[in-house]
Amino acid sequence: MNNLEAKTISGGFQQFSFRKVLFQLILIFFGFAFLFFITLIKARGTAGIAFEPFLFVYTIFVTAFQISRLIAAMFYENAYRGSVLAPRAYNGALPAKGKNIQKKNTNPL
Amino acid sequence: MLCEYMADFNLKMIKIFFLVVIAMLILAMTSGMNILRSDNFFNWQKVKMEANFLKYKRALAAQGENSGGEASRGGLKYTKSVPVLLYHGIITDRDWKEDGTNITLDIFEGQMLALKKSGYHTINLSEFSEYMQGKRDLPEKSILITFDDGRKDSYYQADPIFRALGFNAVMFAIVGRSLGEKSEGDNFYLGRQELKDMLKSGRWEVQSHGDFDHNWMPIDEANDQGHFMSNLLWLPKENRVEKPEEAKKRILADLENSKKKIEDELGQKVIAFAYPFNDYGQSGKNFPEAQQFLAENISRIYPLTFFQEEIREPLANSPDPQRYMIKRINVDSGIKTEELFDILDDNREKALPWQDTFWEDHGWRVKWGETKIWGDLTISEKKPLDGNMTILLGSSRWENYFFKSRIYLTDGNSISQVARYQDDKNYARCNFDAGEVSISQKISGQDSVLASKPGNFSGISDSDREIGAELKGNSISCYLDGQKEIEGNLDSSLSFGGVGFYLWDDLPQNAAARIKKMDVAPI
Amino acid sequence: MSFIVPCKNEEKVIANTISNCFQAEYPKEKIEVIAVNDGSTDRSGEIMKSMAQKHKNLTVIDWENNRGKKHAMAEGFRRARGEIVVQLDSDSFIDPATFRKIVEPFQNPKIGAVSAHTDPKNADRNFLTKMQAAYYFMSFRVLKAAESTFLTVFCCSGCASAYRKSIVLPVLDEWLEESFLGHPVPWGDDRALTSRILKAGYRTIYSNKVKAETIVPENLRQLAKQQIRWKKSWLVNAVYNARFIWKSHPFVAFTYFFPLVGVTYLSPIMAGRALFYLPIVKGVFPYYHVIGILLLAALFIAYYRFVAPENKYWIYFFPWALFNLFILSFLTIYALMRINDRGWGTR
């Protein structure tokens, strides 16, 4: 396990690797720009998109959906570290603050 | 340690962040598309116009440059008449249905390219004006292109084409919708800045299509609507219909204001007016003096006024300093390129001597009745007592000539040759009938008989006969089988005009005649 | 920790696959391999038996008649001694060095199955395999990773995945008897098993740290048959999932699963409209639709490049996107129509 991993696991989610987050934000920004361009192209392609509300809705829906998958993919590493490697996954109930929380060994092997 | 509930916390955070981002995305896309659809027409348009211009240039180059055009036909170096084309909006929407006014981009493009290829070139308004006054000669195949209403889609679609072909045009803008308070324009009409850009490009001139003239206004208490320029309007504040004097003042004021606004705001000299709705006073509902009033006053303000002439009439304009009503051909999607060229060809002034054996249609127009060209010109009535009038386009500038034709009456007992035809309210006729030969003329719609010679011409329907009309100055003479039968004097207004045929019979069956050949020789 | 390797007529590679398992970086005595000879007509059976001489932890299950991969795996699950069972295709390999990482997530008791990252071994063969290499990478590192973010991977790939035996055993019978429209379903075992694990309330994830390799079809015909099989199994599995997913995983169901089903069946229709209706009826070439697809692909490729700059197949994702538009999207409809043809197509 390299230092970077160790740091992020033990430090909690305050210490995301900033570089990666920055890159991901830039990617999201370009995603928006691309998106605008894509919908522009698709809108121009169907002259008078007002006459085809279905195409309008479909295009937005599919584009948003596909990009949502991409964004979900960007969270993969965080989710892996946070949700999978965490020693115990709760069903959703947060424990009361500071009570009976034992330090668990996070090192798998 | 936070690690334990960090797991779920992270997942929740991720889910929330995810949803927020996707929501923003969808918002961005929907608003983006809406913005693109409506405003920002402007900046996007400039780019599109450039792209279109390059496209047309390439298309033109691909067709091969055509500077000379087809060599002048008929040996004429200068044109005897100039046609004027009228377009409205240029439509690019594929789902559009023909509406008799606008034209699709495909057809418009095709027509412009065909005009260029055929050797036509556009003229501007001052050249046209000088030509009409007889002060200037114009080369063959000159044409004036005009647009009405000042629509954005006219300019944005046509300009790249004009740029590529070296054409120019006149835009008759509705001042009330493009200048003054509405000078920003809107999604549909051009605004002041755009009109200025058009003028600057050198390819466009802007003239007047009225200020409020292009409005429908209430003309009585019941809120019936009528044209601004040809009706007495309802005055709601005074609860009455306006008086003719008030209407006249109002109309004049509007004509003058629209001219002034264009000259002030755009710096363009205004000499031309296009009648909104093609109404020069004849379509009014409650103001019968309108047409006369406009005829007497409008040329003071606008030396040239443009109206749309019926396709079946002579359509080209010949020099005439007195004439201020300029004919235009309304070109919409219904007129395909071939038909347009037929119209232009047919209306081009024909040179004398001229003859026709009727193997092709050289520009005959049926005013009423039924006519067939099939080696003969067969004219007939659609119903008994309806009559037939068929005229030859492109002959309206002929002055002195001898017009003869070989005819055969298949049904009925009479036939007439029309001569000195200017329009359907101004022409002369040599009438040949079993009982008499007569000369009649129609001046401004009023018929009168100039001379008549009764006699027994009953053989007229037995076999081929030759009829003739001689026009020399004011004198008209009618010939039957080479013999002069009668002679008369025409009204001085009929000093020139073209030829045609006329048929009417009081028989209870459809009259018909076949003209086998005709020729017109200059005198 | 047990490996299950079902095999039918893979004499060329089965030996390699089995010995590879034993090379995993894991305590040797804890590795068990169960190889199932599912009615092979070639020498696979003999090879397996001879290897059993060398490896004492190798169990060979020998069937004369072919019973199907599902049954082979089920038998393997029943006989496995390890708690964690790794399922491998007979032509897949797991990189021994990264192997340990597949066990790591099982520390978390909620995790029911882990999918390894799989790349084609024969990627460099021809243009088609390169396209598939790009597609595999995208499909694992991006699409499966996206599903993994919410801990609901819908298909732990049968090439190389690990399962928790104790939760698989209770669902085995139902899994074996899986039927659709009255007939048994011979394909999509991995999908079906993953669904049942999700239904049982466990989470399934993907691990990009575990590298595996597999062989992909090298010609168009085999590829088409494989894709048709996959699309049919997708449909059957989607119907199964739809019944429970909205109750057990509502967030994923409504933000991902149901939209995915919608998109999967709408996009062939839109593709048909763009490629047939527009040009033929309206005389318009679907520039914009195609450009839209390429732009979306470009966005994904940007991310692809970001996470794996060393992967050289990224450029082939563009042709794959077009291949998907022009051909695969229509295969989806074809698969839908031929759903009752329960054949396997030739391998």
Side-chain angles (χ1 to χ4, degrees):
Chain A
M1 198 157 42
N2 60 27
N3 286 340
L4 193 59
E5 267 191 79
K7 208 175 184 179
T8 48
I9 286 181
S10 57
F13 96 112
Q14 286 316 350
Q15 286 191 10
F16 283 156
S17 58
F18 281 117
R19 256 185 87 242
K20 277 216 162 176
V21 171
L22 183 66
F23 273 128
Q24 285 171 350
L25 282 174
I26 290 180
L27 209 63
I28 291 178
F29 171 74
F30 275 112
F32 273 96
F34 255 137
L35 207 74
F36 196 69
F37 199 51
I38 289 169
T39 55
L40 164 74
I41 299 258
K42 289 218 161 181
R44 289 278 153 216
T46 62
I49 201 150
F51 304 128
E52 293 196 59
F54 179 73
L55 189 71
F56 180 80
V57 171
Y58 168 81
T59 306
I60 290 193
F61 169 62
V62 167
T63 319
F65 174 68
Q66 298 292 2
I67 297 203
S68 78
R69 294 172 94 176
L70 189 58
I71 291 181
M74 291 183 194
F75 282 101
Y76 165 68
E77 305 245 325
N78 288 333
Y80 191 87
R81 281 193 298 268
S83 312
V84 176
L85 295 183
R88 195 157 298 200
Y90 281 76
N91 305 17
L94 292 170
K97 271 199 204 148
K99 282 207 191 127
N100 295 336
I101 294 172
Q102 289 166 348
K103 198 165 184 164
K104 296 277 183 184
N105 185 3
T106 61
N107 193 336
L109 274 168
Chain B
M1 259 307 266
L2 296 168
C3 270
E4 290 198 296
Y5 56 88
M6 205 41 63
D8 271 327
F9 199 60
N10 257 349
L11 199 61
K12 270 210 174 57
M13 277 290 291
I14 290 175
K15 286 181 182 175
I16 294 173
F17 193 80
F18 179 81
L19 285 176
V20 166
V21 171
I22 301 305
M24 278 164 55
L25 222 63
I26 295 183
L27 205 68
M29 279 199 279
T30 358
S31 54
M33 275 174 127
N34 277 325
I35 291 176
L36 285 168
R37 260 197 298 139
S38 46
D39 314 321
N40 281 4
F41 206 3
F42 205 75
N43 300 324
W44 189 244
Q45 280 304 321
K46 287 262 161 76
V47 178
K48 271 181 78 173
M49 281 168 76
E50 274 300 317
N52 283 341
F53 164 60
L54 293 170
K55 180 174 83 168
Y56 295 127
K57 257 209 118 166
R58 255 183 288 121
L60 190 67
Q63 280 189 26
E65 265 297 21
N66 207 334
S67 42
E70 287 178 15
S72 30
R73 281 152 64 188
L76 291 175
K77 268 194 74 187
Y78 291 114
T79 187
K80 288 202 153 185
S81 63
V82 174
V84 180
L85 301 180
L86 166 63
Y87 294 94
H88 288 84
I90 300 180
I91 309 292
T92 48
D93 178 13
R94 273 169 230 288
D95 292 324
W96 176 76
K97 304 262 184 314
E98 291 190 8
D99 59 8
T101 302
N102 300 305
I103 194 170
T104 58
L105 179 61
D106 292 337
I107 298 180
F108 178 76
E109 195 183 318
Q111 285 177 355
M112 292 299 118
L113 281 169
L115 283 171
K116 177 81 177 176
K117 206 158 160 227
S118 170
Y120 278 88
H121 61 274
T122 56
I123 58 172
N124 65 34
L125 209 51
S126 55
E127 289 173 324
F128 184 73
S129 169
E130 286 174 16
Y131 170 79
M132 288 303 289
Q133 286 172 29
K135 291 187 192 158
R136 177 199 262 261
D137 280 323
L138 287 175
E140 264 236 305
K141 295 200 168 176
S142 300
I143 194 166
L144 180 66
I145 301 182
T146 66
F147 286 83
D148 271 8
D149 296 347
R151 293 166 61 135
K152 277 187 152 84
D153 54 14
S154 320
Y155 166 57
Y156 283 121
Q157 302 302 335
D159 193 54
I161 301 177
F162 288 164
R163 210 169 138 202
L165 300 178
F167 279 0
N168 52 276
V170 180
M171 170 64 82
F172 288 94
I174 303 177
V175 175
R177 297 184 200 162
S178 294
L179 292 178
E181 286 168 357
K182 302 279 274 160
S183 61
E184 292 303 309
D186 54 29
N187 266 349
F188 191 73
Y189 293 106
L190 295 162
R192 187 196 303 139
Q193 188 52 49
E194 289 163 308
L195 291 170
K196 278 195 177 156
D197 290 341
M198 286 162 73
L199 290 172
K200 214 159 64 155
S201 72
R203 290 185 290 276
W204 293 86
E205 294 172 279
V206 178
Q207 300 286 312
S208 172
H209 201 31
D211 196 344
F212 295 102
D213 287 334
H214 216 298
N215 291 355
W216 286 86
M217 311 285 287
I219 57 172
D220 62 25
E221 202 172 10
N223 212 24
D224 294 321
Q225 305 277 310
H227 296 156
F228 182 95
M229 252 176 59
S230 57
N231 288 295
L232 299 172
L233 301 184
W234 175 255
L235 302 170
K237 290 208 189 98
E238 299 171 43
N239 215 18
R240 62 173 174 88
V241 173
E242 43 168 22
K243 303 201 193 69
E245 290 312 309
E246 297 169 317
K248 290 177 183 175
K249 254 178 62 180
R250 167 180 57 81
I251 294 171
L252 277 182
D254 188 287
L255 292 172
E256 275 163 6
N257 275 341
S258 52
K259 172 174 176 175
K260 192 164 178 314
K261 276 192 187 156
I262 295 178
E263 288 179 341
D264 287 346
E265 294 188 38
L266 300 176
Q268 154 102 94
K269 187 148 186 309
V270 176
I271 58 171
F273 181 78
Y275 295 98
F277 309 112
N278 202 27
D279 183 357
Y280 38 93
Q282 84 284 20
S283 306
K285 295 186 188 162
N286 60 7
F287 189 17
E289 300 167 51
Q291 186 172 1
Q292 177 77 358
F293 169 69
L294 283 170
E296 284 167 359
N297 289 284
I298 198 163
S299 47
R300 257 192 306 117
I301 311 172
Y302 297 100
L304 294 174
T305 62
F306 289 77
F307 75 103
Q308 287 85 282
E309 179 63 280
E310 244 192 275
I311 297 285
R312 282 181 308 203
E313 289 293 332
L315 290 169
N317 300 286
S318 295
D320 183 352
Q322 303 300 325
R323 194 168 179 81
Y324 60 90
M325 294 282 278
I326 309 297
K327 302 181 206 172
R328 297 196 288 185
I329 305 167
N330 185 27
V331 187
D332 62 46
S333 260
I335 299 188
K336 308 284 183 278
T337 307
E338 262 180 45
E339 200 186 328
L340 177 65
F341 273 82
D342 280 345
I343 295 174
L344 292 175
D345 285 342
D346 291 343
N347 276 286
R348 193 170 305 124
E349 288 301 315
K350 298 171 166 66
L352 291 171
W354 200 84
Q355 62 187 113
D356 203 338
T357 49
F358 305 111
W359 285 106
E360 270 174 23
D361 182 356
H362 290 285
W364 292 93
R365 282 291 177 273
V366 189
K367 298 296 295 170
W368 55 85
E370 240 170 59
T371 300
K372 197 158 74 161
I373 295 182
W374 57 309
D376 284 347
L377 179 74
T378 299
I379 58 177
S380 55
E381 295 177 309
K382 270 196 187 148
K383 287 191 330 233
L385 304 183
D386 255 6
N388 179 304
M389 170 100 130
T390 304
I391 54 145
L392 179 65
L393 291 179
S395 60
S396 48
R397 302 307 297 181
W398 292 347
E399 290 175 10
N400 301 318
Y401 49 85
F402 187 77
F403 166 33
K404 69 175 194 282
S405 43
R406 180 190 296 280
I407 57 123
Y408 179 73
L409 295 178
T410 45
D411 231 317
N413 291 320
S414 54
I415 185 158
S416 307
Q417 280 194 171
V418 177
R420 294 271 173 94
Y421 178 93
Q422 294 177 357
D423 56 52
D424 63 4
K425 295 192 168 43
N426 297 281
Y427 57 86
R429 266 191 282 135
C430 267
N431 307 305
F432 302 88
D433 168 302
E436 77 171 353
V437 174
S438 61
I439 300 176
S440 56
Q441 70 176 7
K442 195 171 192 138
I443 306 283
S444 299
Q446 304 281 42
D447 267 313
S448 54
V449 177
L450 297 177
S452 76
K453 177 176 171 184
N456 185 5
F457 302 102
S458 53
I460 197 163
S461 38
D462 289 341
S463 58
D464 282 4
R465 307 305 289 263
E466 202 177 271
I467 53 176
E470 185 184 36
L471 284 306
K472 199 164 162 186
N474 275 353
S475 140
I476 177 172
S477 321
C478 300
Y479 287 67
L480 179 60
D481 290 332
Q483 264 207 286
K484 181 170 179 171
E485 298 288 342
I486 55 170
E487 168 171 359
N489 272 332
L490 291 172
D491 186 285
S492 53
S493 68
L494 290 180
S495 57
F496 61 91
V499 299
F501 293 94
Y502 174 87
L503 184 74
W504 186 84
D505 222 299
D506 56 6
L507 296 172
Q509 74 239 34
N510 297 1
R514 279 167 58 179
I515 296 112
K516 300 196 171 172
K517 73 190 270 266
M518 64 164 264
D519 60 72
V520 185
I523 301 177
Chain C
M1 131 91 40
S2 312
F3 286 82
I4 302 181
V5 187
C7 166
K8 181 180 169 214
N9 292 342
E10 299 279 356
E11 58 179 1
K12 293 206 195 90
V13 293
I14 186 66
N16 240 347
T17 309
I18 294 178
S19 40
N20 208 41
C21 296
F22 284 110
Q23 279 163 12
E25 277 188 23
Y26 199 74
K28 287 286 182 292
E29 63 282 2
K30 292 202 184 158
I31 298 181
E32 177 200 17
V33 175
I34 302 177
V36 183
N37 177 14
D38 191 15
S40 299
T41 53
D42 63 359
R43 293 187 57 241
S44 303
E46 284 124 58
I47 295 177
M48 283 196 252
K49 289 200 193 98
S50 63
M51 292 193 76
Q53 315 282 347
K54 277 189 282 171
H55 302 277
K56 71 169 168 50
N57 274 343
L58 170 62
T59 314
V60 176
I61 301 175
D62 201 4
W63 289 339
E64 278 224 5
N65 300 318
N66 173 271
R67 294 193 211 172
K69 197 163 161 209
K70 234 197 274 204
H71 287 266
M73 283 174 61
E75 190 60 31
F77 271 107
R78 291 200 183 99
R79 302 227 200 149
R81 290 194 306 263
E83 173 56 19
I84 296 174
V85 178
V86 177
Q87 200 263 311
L88 282 182
D89 268 354
S90 44
D91 53 7
S92 335
F93 310 92
I94 292 193
D95 181 7
T98 61
F99 178 75
R100 206 199 306 166
K101 298 288 183 179
I102 211 173
V103 188
E104 181 180 66
F106 286 99
Q107 292 266 320
N108 186 330
K110 284 301 243 169
I111 302 289
V114 177
S115 174
H117 178 98
T118 309
D119 285 314
K121 188 162 168 54
N122 54 341
D124 288 324
R125 252 333 174 88
N126 57 33
F127 186 78
L128 208 62
T129 57
K130 286 182 188 151
M131 283 206 311
Q132 288 180 79
Y135 164 62
Y136 264 67
F137 187 84
M138 190 66 78
S139 146
F140 276 89
R141 182 65 184 85
V142 179
L143 300 181
K144 236 184 256 299
E147 291 179 347
S148 184
T149 302
F150 298 106
L151 309 182
T152 50
V153 171
F154 283 91
C155 173
C156 287
S157 167
C159 305
S161 300
Y163 302 85
R164 201 187 288 273
K165 188 186 72 179
S166 55
I167 61 170
V168 170
L169 288 177
V171 303
L172 265 186
D173 289 323
E174 199 242 324
W175 179 50
L176 284 174
E177 283 156 24
E178 181 190 15
S179 80
F180 186 71
L181 296 182
H183 299 283
V185 183
W187 6 255
D189 322 305
D190 44 7
R191 264 191 195 277
L193 187 57
T194 315
S195 283
R196 280 148 181 87
I197 293 176
L198 278 175
K199 189 171 179 185
Y202 291 88
R203 316 309 297 253
T204 53
I205 60 159
Y206 152 80
S207 173
N208 75 322
K209 301 186 175 74
V210 186
K211 308 287 184 206
E213 286 183 324
T214 188
I215 311 280
V216 294
E218 286 173 7
N219 64 44
L220 195 55
R221 202 159 164 273
Q222 283 178 3
L223 177 62
K225 292 209 182 299
Q226 177 201 60
Q227 291 294 317
I228 293 174
R229 278 201 312 272
W230 286 8
K231 287 179 192 314
K232 285 183 185 172
S233 66
W234 196 92
L235 170 63
V236 171
N237 183 249
V239 171
Y240 181 85
N241 283 340
R243 296 209 188 102
F244 73 87
I245 195 77
W246 55 276
K247 277 181 283 202
S248 54
H249 301 91
F251 183 84
V252 173
F254 294 107
T255 61
Y256 175 72
F257 180 73
F258 289 120
L260 180 63
V261 176
V263 169
T264 305
Y265 289 99
L266 276 178
S267 44
I269 298 175
M270 299 312 276
R273 174 191 164 275
L275 298 176
F276 297 113
Y277 174 73
L278 280 186
I280 295 177
V281 176
K282 293 216 168 182
V284 174
F285 189 80
Y287 293 112
Y288 298 106
H289 189 95
V290 176
I291 290 179
I293 286 190
L294 288 176
L295 274 177
L296 260 175
L299 197 57
F300 275 75
I301 291 173
Y303 185 67
Y304 181 142
R305 294 282 293 143
F306 172 64
V307 290
E310 71 287 353
N311 185 312
K312 54 180 174 144
Y313 300 101
W314 60 275
I315 189 99
Y316 295 92
F317 193 69
F318 282 116
W320 177 269
L322 294 173
F323 177 66
N324 193 44
L325 167 66
F326 287 101
I327 298 175
L328 292 185
S329 45
F330 302 112
L331 283 186
T332 311
I333 301 298
Y334 177 77
L336 174 66
M337 293 182 340
R338 301 275 295 159
I339 191 70
N340 277 331
D341 172 11
R342 303 296 161 98
W344 186 265
T346 43
R347 187 79 161 87

